[in-house]
Amino acid sequence: MSKSLKALLAQKAEENTQRHREANYRDDFDVGRQHTKLPLDRIDPNPYQPRTSFPEEEIRELAVSISAVGLLQPISVRAVGERYELIAGERRLRAHKLLTRPTIEALVISADEATSATLALAENIEREDLSDFEIGESIKRLEEHFPRRTKLAESLGIQRSDLYRYLSFASLPDSIRKRLAARPKLLSRSAAADIVRVLKEAGNDESISRKLEEAWALLESGKLDQTKLASFLCNSATTTAGTRQRPTHIMKQGAKVGTFSQTPHEFVMKVANNVLTDEQKLKIQQFVLELLA
């Protein structure tokens, strides 16, 4: 992870911890200043939770610790209507549920959605390094709060190039993303960016998608290193490249308006929609139908 990103998030986590230190424990509290006990059934999960995996053994160990010495640090929540939304402390909350305790100590702070998402990311990084995939998923959810990716990169204190690497996870096939959610540390952001680049260069070549599934199975079994995934796919693309012709550009008044392309399975014509009139489109359809007939 970028050192500047970790430093920024660590600072936000420390600011949140400072709120805990300064909070006065009372049942009647001012939002953002004191903490109290809240019923577990009034706390909703954080939609921006960056961590995707919560091993049961770790939750059980934490529950044993809480049972023996108590909760060392309250969870953080924000008020949403008459309920509360978790900001940080998912593992502590799960441990309390495992212990069937009705309430949990919580610090209620004033935070908008962007702050909630950033704090959740900061708290998790402070306790245990998140995987690049989990950070990427969290940053993707943060993106909706920023008009441009440049602003998002600036707010996180990272280069745009590194931001794009984190966001590359979102461009992976859904099947791979689901498997990553279960084992998020399998793939780094750099390896993900390399895979996405190969997939984009291959276009709609289904053989590359099948090859990715094959490569992923090798990765999960430990027979292929993540740094070699992209080259594994590139070799497959090179093997099939000889059967794929380069696209022929369709020109109009010196400008490219479309392409003819051919793969082992398809002949494809693509033309910009505003180039042809409805009458011309109909003529092309009729010509193709007559030609095939």
Side-chain angles (χ1 to χ4, degrees):
M1 184 199 325
S2 166
K3 184 177 181 180
S4 56
L5 172 59
K6 185 163 186 175
L8 177 84
L9 295 175
Q11 178 185 344
K12 291 183 180 294
E14 176 57 30
E15 291 171 356
N16 191 39
T17 301
Q18 187 64 30
R19 293 192 185 96
H20 287 285
R21 298 192 187 104
E22 296 174 354
N24 297 317
Y25 183 82
R26 337 193 301 217
D27 285 335
D28 56 323
F29 59 93
D30 297 326
V31 172
R33 294 300 299 172
Q34 287 84 30
H35 67 271
T36 187
K37 286 187 176 181
L38 293 176
L40 267 63
D41 59 9
R42 291 187 63 192
I43 303 173
D44 297 318
N46 185 346
Y48 298 101
Q49 168 61 248
R51 193 170 297 284
T52 62
S53 177
F54 294 89
E56 292 184 9
E57 183 60 30
E58 291 183 7
I59 301 300
R60 283 196 295 269
E61 289 177 0
L62 180 58
V64 170
S65 174
I66 291 174
S67 179
V69 301
L71 185 63
L72 298 181
Q73 183 177 4
I75 63 172
S76 297
V77 300
R78 70 185 185 112
V80 179
E82 297 182 355
R83 296 184 62 80
Y84 298 91
E85 184 180 278
L86 186 67
I87 294 178
E90 177 80 24
R91 295 172 69 253
R92 284 164 277 166
L93 183 63
R94 290 181 180 230
H96 270 64
K97 290 180 179 179
L98 186 62
L99 292 169
T100 65
R101 294 190 175 181
T103 61
I104 187 171
E105 290 185 39
L107 176 67
V108 182
I109 68 175
S110 178
D112 57 19
E113 288 192 43
T115 302
S116 176
T118 305
L119 281 174
L121 187 56
E123 290 280 347
N124 277 280
I125 287 176
E126 184 184 43
R127 282 168 173 75
E128 182 179 351
D129 280 345
L130 291 170
S131 67
D132 282 0
F133 173 71
E134 290 168 319
I135 294 174
E137 291 288 276
S138 189
I139 291 177
K140 183 64 179 177
R141 290 190 289 268
L142 267 174
E143 190 178 18
E144 65 184 81
H145 300 288
F146 294 85
R148 291 181 295 120
R149 285 185 171 179
T150 301
K151 291 294 184 182
L152 176 57
E154 289 176 357
S155 72
L156 294 173
I158 61 177
Q159 297 293 324
R160 277 193 302 172
S161 58
D162 212 27
L163 175 70
Y164 291 140
R165 292 188 188 97
Y166 279 118
L167 293 175
S168 64
F169 287 103
S171 298
L172 291 172
D174 289 342
S175 60
I176 298 300
R177 285 166 50 79
K178 288 178 181 177
R179 292 159 81 167
L180 258 179
R183 299 178 63 183
K185 293 185 178 181
L186 273 180
L187 197 68
S188 71
R189 62 187 183 277
S190 295
D194 289 341
I195 292 172
V196 170
R197 173 182 52 78
V198 174
L199 292 176
K200 286 182 178 179
E201 290 175 354
N204 296 323
D205 191 341
E206 293 182 1
S207 66
I208 300 299
S209 297
R210 291 193 297 270
K211 204 69 178 178
L212 176 57
E213 294 287 343
E214 178 186 338
W216 199 262
L218 293 173
L219 175 66
E220 290 179 325
S221 65
K223 297 178 181 178
L224 181 66
D225 188 89
Q226 61 160 311
T227 59
K228 300 185 183 302
L229 273 170
S231 59
F232 185 91
L233 296 178
C234 281
N235 291 338
S236 176
T238 301
T239 301
T240 58
T243 59
R244 189 190 306 115
Q245 294 183 358
R246 295 178 64 85
T248 300
H249 298 315
I250 301 173
M251 310 295 293
K252 181 178 181 180
Q253 296 178 347
K256 187 179 77 171
V257 297
T259 60
F260 291 112
S261 61
Q262 184 174 334
T263 72
H265 307 290
E266 296 178 318
F267 175 77
V268 182
M269 172 185 175
K270 292 183 179 180
V271 181
N273 192 51
N274 60 352
V275 171
L276 299 172
T277 65
D278 289 341
E279 182 180 357
Q280 288 173 324
K281 295 173 186 175
L282 182 60
K283 286 183 177 180
I284 291 174
Q285 292 178 35
Q286 290 175 338
F287 172 75
V288 173
L289 291 174
E290 292 174 3
L291 183 64
L292 295 176

